[in-house]
Amino acid sequence: MEKTTVLITGCSSGIGLGLAARLAADGARRFKGKGVTLCRGGRHPRGSSVAPGVGSSVALVRVAALSPTVFATMRDVAKGEQLLAHLGGCCPDTLEVLQLDVTDPRSLAAAARRVQGQRLDVLVCNAGVGLMGPLETCSDHAMKTVFDVNLFGAVRTIQAFLPAMKRRRAGRIIVSSSIGGLQGLPFNSVYCASKFAVEGLCESLAIVLQPFNIHLTLVECGPVNTSFLANLQRPDPEGSELQDLDAETRGLYRRYLQHCQSLFRETAQEVEEVLQVFLEAISTPCPPLRCVTTQLFAPLSRLRLANPDGSAYVRAMHDFVFGHGGAGGDQP
């Protein structure tokens, strides 16, 4: 079977880390090749070179004249240790870890140069950040960061690798999206706005890419057991950030956080389950534009389509999160 070359952004944790490990360890050897070894300490194999910017605890060692076919990229390559641990402490000969910050054009250009000359079959735009909380508390900086990573980061990444795919008239682009890109979620206004924008970007682009035989697929995830929820920026409901906020909104926000904890505890998918959707998007001859990983929100999605004016969805989502007719007064 012909090998497939894949580049994935956002591989330091979660879905990106799991997908990189899964592809690099592919049993069918579709990703056969040799690349780098993640080495601990300062000892490196003879004839190898250490990637610049790597600390002494983790070194990325490029073995001369050999080419990997899974490029796992991340903003901070020191976090490559987590990927190595996920692979049982041994780096397969199919993997190379690259530094790539999707907000930095120079970083993207360097990654593109590294891949240049190899046929990139699959580009997975997975880097993303979250922002939760009442809109009044979201700073300009935080909002710009969300859009810089989630939307413009995806744009920059596609721009860097699309021309080569067009010249070959082949390839596929997979973009990590969210249920929050299909429907509004309370206290996720800015995050949902960035994902709605990603959905529009990709749907528009897919139309243009059809004659080039380049398939674009959005993978829309719901709650997943990763560190995403723990790492996203959000104000403490009891903290000073909300001291000037009205009591009713504070109460709604507190109840929403409780709802999130319950939802993740009871319904969150495991990463392995979500990875299966990505793998199908990679291997299916003609993948769809959209793949939803969970049917948890399907009734709300159908309601949204059945009632185009949106009012029924707003009421139903409010009841789903806060209860029927629930007011949001601050709770002692």
Side-chain angles (χ1 to χ4, degrees), residues 211-238:
F212 292 92
N213 192 35
I214 298 172
H215 298 281
L216 195 157
T217 298
L218 289 147
V219 178
E220 288 129 351
C221 303
V224 184
N225 277 324
T226 68
S227 59
F228 182 81
L229 184 63
N231 292 339
L232 64 77
Q233 186 175 340
R234 59 180 176 181
D236 182 345
E238 311 303 333

Short mmCIF file of all heavy atoms in Angstrom, two decimals, residues 211-238:
data_model
loop_
_atom_site.label_atom_id
_atom_site.label_comp_id
_atom_site.label_asym_id
_atom_site.label_seq_id
_atom_site.Cartn_x
_atom_site.Cartn_y
_atom_site.Cartn_z
N PRO A 211 -12.53 21.13 -8.30
CA PRO A 211 -11.88 20.80 -9.57
C PRO A 211 -10.42 20.35 -9.42
O PRO A 211 -9.87 19.73 -10.33
CB PRO A 211 -11.96 22.11 -10.36
CG PRO A 211 -12.99 22.93 -9.68
CD PRO A 211 -12.97 22.53 -8.25
N PHE A 212 -9.81 20.66 -8.26
CA PHE A 212 -8.41 20.28 -8.02
C PHE A 212 -8.28 18.90 -7.37
O PHE A 212 -7.17 18.48 -7.03
CB PHE A 212 -7.72 21.33 -7.13
CG PHE A 212 -7.54 22.67 -7.79
CD1 PHE A 212 -8.50 23.65 -7.65
CD2 PHE A 212 -6.41 22.94 -8.55
CE1 PHE A 212 -8.35 24.89 -8.25
CE2 PHE A 212 -6.25 24.18 -9.16
CZ PHE A 212 -7.23 25.16 -9.01
N ASN A 213 -9.42 18.23 -7.15
CA ASN A 213 -9.41 16.92 -6.49
C ASN A 213 -8.83 17.01 -5.08
O ASN A 213 -8.14 16.10 -4.60
CB ASN A 213 -8.62 15.88 -7.32
CG ASN A 213 -8.82 14.46 -6.83
OD1 ASN A 213 -9.91 14.10 -6.37
ND2 ASN A 213 -7.78 13.66 -6.90
N ILE A 214 -9.10 18.12 -4.42
CA ILE A 214 -8.67 18.30 -3.03
C ILE A 214 -9.93 18.28 -2.16
O ILE A 214 -10.83 19.10 -2.33
CB ILE A 214 -7.92 19.63 -2.84
CG1 ILE A 214 -6.64 19.64 -3.69
CG2 ILE A 214 -7.57 19.85 -1.37
CD1 ILE A 214 -5.94 20.99 -3.73
N HIS A 215 -9.99 17.33 -1.25
CA HIS A 215 -11.15 17.17 -0.39
C HIS A 215 -10.92 17.93 0.92
O HIS A 215 -9.85 17.83 1.52
CB HIS A 215 -11.39 15.70 -0.07
CG HIS A 215 -11.69 14.88 -1.28
ND1 HIS A 215 -12.93 14.86 -1.88
CD2 HIS A 215 -10.91 14.04 -2.01
CE1 HIS A 215 -12.90 14.05 -2.92
NE2 HIS A 215 -11.69 13.54 -3.02
N LEU A 216 -11.91 18.66 1.36
CA LEU A 216 -11.83 19.40 2.63
C LEU A 216 -12.95 18.89 3.54
O LEU A 216 -14.10 18.84 3.14
CB LEU A 216 -11.97 20.90 2.39
CG LEU A 216 -11.55 21.82 3.53
CD1 LEU A 216 -11.19 23.21 3.01
CD2 LEU A 216 -12.64 21.94 4.58
N THR A 217 -12.56 18.51 4.75
CA THR A 217 -13.52 17.94 5.71
C THR A 217 -13.40 18.65 7.05
O THR A 217 -12.29 18.83 7.58
CB THR A 217 -13.28 16.44 5.91
OG1 THR A 217 -13.46 15.77 4.66
CG2 THR A 217 -14.23 15.86 6.93
N LEU A 218 -14.54 19.04 7.59
CA LEU A 218 -14.62 19.59 8.95
C LEU A 218 -15.04 18.48 9.89
O LEU A 218 -16.04 17.79 9.65
CB LEU A 218 -15.67 20.70 9.00
CG LEU A 218 -15.31 22.01 8.31
CD1 LEU A 218 -16.57 22.67 7.73
CD2 LEU A 218 -14.62 22.97 9.27
N VAL A 219 -14.29 18.28 10.96
CA VAL A 219 -14.67 17.30 11.99
C VAL A 219 -15.19 18.08 13.19
O VAL A 219 -14.43 18.78 13.87
CB VAL A 219 -13.48 16.41 12.38
CG1 VAL A 219 -13.90 15.44 13.49
CG2 VAL A 219 -12.97 15.64 11.18
N GLU A 220 -16.48 17.97 13.44
CA GLU A 220 -17.14 18.75 14.48
C GLU A 220 -17.28 17.92 15.75
O GLU A 220 -18.06 16.97 15.80
CB GLU A 220 -18.50 19.23 13.97
CG GLU A 220 -18.36 20.30 12.91
CD GLU A 220 -19.15 20.02 11.63
OE1 GLU A 220 -19.68 18.90 11.50
OE2 GLU A 220 -19.21 20.91 10.78
N CYS A 221 -16.49 18.29 16.74
CA CYS A 221 -16.44 17.54 18.00
C CYS A 221 -17.37 18.16 19.04
O CYS A 221 -17.57 19.38 19.06
CB CYS A 221 -15.01 17.54 18.56
SG CYS A 221 -13.77 16.86 17.44
N GLY A 222 -17.90 17.32 19.90
CA GLY A 222 -18.60 17.78 21.08
C GLY A 222 -17.67 17.67 22.27
O GLY A 222 -16.44 17.82 22.13
N PRO A 223 -18.19 17.39 23.45
CA PRO A 223 -17.33 17.22 24.63
C PRO A 223 -16.39 16.01 24.45
O PRO A 223 -16.84 14.92 24.11
CB PRO A 223 -18.32 16.97 25.77
CG PRO A 223 -19.63 17.50 25.28
CD PRO A 223 -19.63 17.29 23.80
N VAL A 224 -15.11 16.22 24.67
CA VAL A 224 -14.10 15.16 24.54
C VAL A 224 -13.23 15.20 25.79
O VAL A 224 -12.87 16.28 26.28
CB VAL A 224 -13.23 15.35 23.28
CG1 VAL A 224 -12.26 14.18 23.12
CG2 VAL A 224 -14.10 15.47 22.02
N ASN A 225 -12.86 14.04 26.28
CA ASN A 225 -12.01 13.95 27.47
C ASN A 225 -10.57 14.30 27.13
O ASN A 225 -9.72 13.43 26.92
CB ASN A 225 -12.10 12.55 28.09
CG ASN A 225 -13.30 12.40 28.99
OD1 ASN A 225 -13.70 13.34 29.69
ND2 ASN A 225 -13.92 11.23 28.98
N THR A 226 -10.29 15.58 27.04
CA THR A 226 -8.93 16.08 26.84
C THR A 226 -8.71 17.20 27.87
O THR A 226 -9.57 17.47 28.70
CB THR A 226 -8.74 16.66 25.42
OG1 THR A 226 -9.53 17.86 25.29
CG2 THR A 226 -9.16 15.66 24.35
N SER A 227 -7.57 17.85 27.77
CA SER A 227 -7.27 18.96 28.68
C SER A 227 -7.84 20.29 28.18
O SER A 227 -7.59 21.33 28.78
CB SER A 227 -5.76 19.08 28.87
OG SER A 227 -5.12 19.30 27.61
N PHE A 228 -8.59 20.26 27.08
CA PHE A 228 -9.06 21.51 26.46
C PHE A 228 -9.89 22.33 27.44
O PHE A 228 -9.67 23.53 27.59
CB PHE A 228 -9.88 21.19 25.20
CG PHE A 228 -10.37 22.41 24.46
CD1 PHE A 228 -9.52 23.09 23.60
CD2 PHE A 228 -11.65 22.89 24.63
CE1 PHE A 228 -9.95 24.22 22.92
CE2 PHE A 228 -12.09 24.02 23.95
CZ PHE A 228 -11.24 24.68 23.10
N LEU A 229 -10.86 21.69 28.09
CA LEU A 229 -11.73 22.42 29.02
C LEU A 229 -10.94 22.99 30.19
O LEU A 229 -11.16 24.13 30.61
CB LEU A 229 -12.85 21.51 29.53
CG LEU A 229 -13.91 22.17 30.43
CD1 LEU A 229 -14.67 23.23 29.65
CD2 LEU A 229 -14.88 21.13 30.98
N ALA A 230 -9.98 22.22 30.70
CA ALA A 230 -9.19 22.68 31.84
C ALA A 230 -8.26 23.82 31.45
O ALA A 230 -7.96 24.71 32.26
CB ALA A 230 -8.38 21.52 32.41
N ASN A 231 -7.80 23.82 30.17
CA ASN A 231 -6.81 24.80 29.74
C ASN A 231 -7.40 26.08 29.18
O ASN A 231 -6.70 27.09 29.06
CB ASN A 231 -5.88 24.19 28.69
CG ASN A 231 -5.00 23.10 29.27
OD1 ASN A 231 -4.76 23.05 30.48
ND2 ASN A 231 -4.51 22.21 28.42
N LEU A 232 -8.69 26.06 28.80
CA LEU A 232 -9.22 27.25 28.16
C LEU A 232 -9.33 28.40 29.16
O LEU A 232 -9.45 28.21 30.36
CB LEU A 232 -10.58 26.96 27.51
CG LEU A 232 -11.80 26.57 28.34
CD1 LEU A 232 -12.45 27.73 29.05
CD2 LEU A 232 -12.83 25.88 27.44
N GLN A 233 -9.26 29.60 28.61
CA GLN A 233 -9.30 30.79 29.45
C GLN A 233 -10.74 31.06 29.87
O GLN A 233 -11.65 31.14 29.04
CB GLN A 233 -8.75 31.99 28.68
CG GLN A 233 -8.63 33.26 29.51
CD GLN A 233 -7.96 34.37 28.75
OE1 GLN A 233 -7.27 34.14 27.76
NE2 GLN A 233 -8.16 35.61 29.19
N ARG A 234 -10.97 31.19 31.17
CA ARG A 234 -12.31 31.48 31.68
C ARG A 234 -12.19 32.13 33.06
O ARG A 234 -11.30 31.79 33.84
CB ARG A 234 -13.15 30.20 31.79
CG ARG A 234 -12.54 29.15 32.71
CD ARG A 234 -13.40 27.91 32.78
NE ARG A 234 -12.78 26.87 33.57
CZ ARG A 234 -13.31 25.67 33.79
NH1 ARG A 234 -14.48 25.38 33.26
NH2 ARG A 234 -12.68 24.78 34.52
N PRO A 235 -13.08 33.05 33.38
CA PRO A 235 -13.01 33.71 34.69
C PRO A 235 -13.58 32.82 35.78
O PRO A 235 -14.50 32.02 35.55
CB PRO A 235 -13.87 34.96 34.49
CG PRO A 235 -14.84 34.59 33.42
CD PRO A 235 -14.11 33.65 32.51
N ASP A 236 -13.03 32.96 36.96
CA ASP A 236 -13.56 32.28 38.15
C ASP A 236 -14.88 32.94 38.52
O ASP A 236 -14.95 34.16 38.68
CB ASP A 236 -12.55 32.43 39.29
CG ASP A 236 -12.98 31.71 40.56
OD1 ASP A 236 -14.17 31.34 40.67
OD2 ASP A 236 -12.13 31.53 41.44
N PRO A 237 -15.96 32.14 38.66
CA PRO A 237 -17.26 32.76 39.00
C PRO A 237 -17.25 33.50 40.33
O PRO A 237 -18.10 34.35 40.57
CB PRO A 237 -18.22 31.56 39.04
CG PRO A 237 -17.36 30.36 39.22
CD PRO A 237 -16.07 30.68 38.54
N GLU A 238 -16.29 33.18 41.19
CA GLU A 238 -16.20 33.88 42.48
C GLU A 238 -15.08 34.91 42.49
O GLU A 238 -14.79 35.51 43.52
CB GLU A 238 -15.93 32.85 43.60
CG GLU A 238 -16.85 31.64 43.60
CD GLU A 238 -18.32 32.00 43.68
OE1 GLU A 238 -18.64 33.09 44.23
OE2 GLU A 238 -19.14 31.23 43.18
#
